[in-house]
Amino acid sequence: MQRLIALAAEDGLSVQIATITPGIRGFLDLATMTIYLSRRLNPVEMLCTLAHELGHFHYGHDCSSLTAEAQANSYACRILIDPDAYAAAEALSPYLQDIADELGVTVTMVEHYQRHALQKLGERTYARAPHRKLA
């Protein structure tokens, strides 16, 4: 989490944990350059939501749409999931929940990673490069 907060700070964003409308995990307020995260989230959900909101900032989204949400999820899964760690987790178990637990992310992030960051060519699987490397 601290690495993502540092990435946010590099972009001039602050991160606040707040009581927000139930059902909303977080949001980006460009007017105040703040990412708000719901205090109702568990630590894994909070991590993934922060990465997702950083994706909105990365792409300059100022509103929500299906395309914007997909782009933000692609950004998030590619900064949260290391290809080597994913391969090791998948070798331990083919089940999404097990892979997510091993990687410390949500099942949604694993599903998005499988659909949008991996490419299978024959028997080989390749991962696209991450948007940013975490220190």
Side-chain angles (χ1 to χ4, degrees):
M1 185 73 161
Q2 292 302 321
R3 296 181 309 178
L4 290 184
I5 291 171
L7 282 180
E10 285 176 21
D11 289 336
L13 297 165
S14 64
V15 177
Q16 299 292 322
I17 298 171
T19 301
I20 56 180
T21 305
I24 297 177
R25 293 177 177 244
F27 64 92
L28 169 65
D29 182 350
L30 288 172
T32 62
M33 296 292 285
T34 304
I35 293 173
Y36 292 95
L37 301 173
S38 173
R39 68 177 64 255
R40 293 178 181 88
L41 301 177
N42 67 44
V44 171
E45 292 169 332
M46 200 169 283
L47 177 75
C48 293
T49 301
L50 177 53
H52 175 90
E53 296 306 325
L54 286 169
H56 282 305
F57 182 78
H58 175 80
Y59 287 109
H61 299 151
D62 59 0
C63 65
S64 183
S65 69
L66 290 177
T67 299
E69 294 305 310
Q71 285 180 327
N73 276 339
S74 288
Y75 181 91
C77 73
R78 289 172 62 197
I79 64 170
L80 291 174
I81 300 174
D82 174 76
D84 292 331
Y86 175 84
E90 189 179 57
L92 293 173
S93 173
Y95 300 108
L96 291 175
Q97 187 64 59
D98 292 344
I99 295 169
D101 289 346
E102 187 68 26
L103 297 173
V105 299
T106 62
V107 169
T108 299
M109 284 293 118
V110 173
E111 289 172 328
H112 203 85
Y113 187 80
Q114 288 177 337
R115 281 194 311 269
H116 301 284
L118 295 180
Q119 180 177 8
K120 292 208 180 261
L121 297 175
E123 293 297 314
R124 298 196 181 260
T125 300
Y126 297 92
R128 294 186 180 98
H131 290 285
R132 295 167 87 167
K133 289 276 189 191
L134 293 179

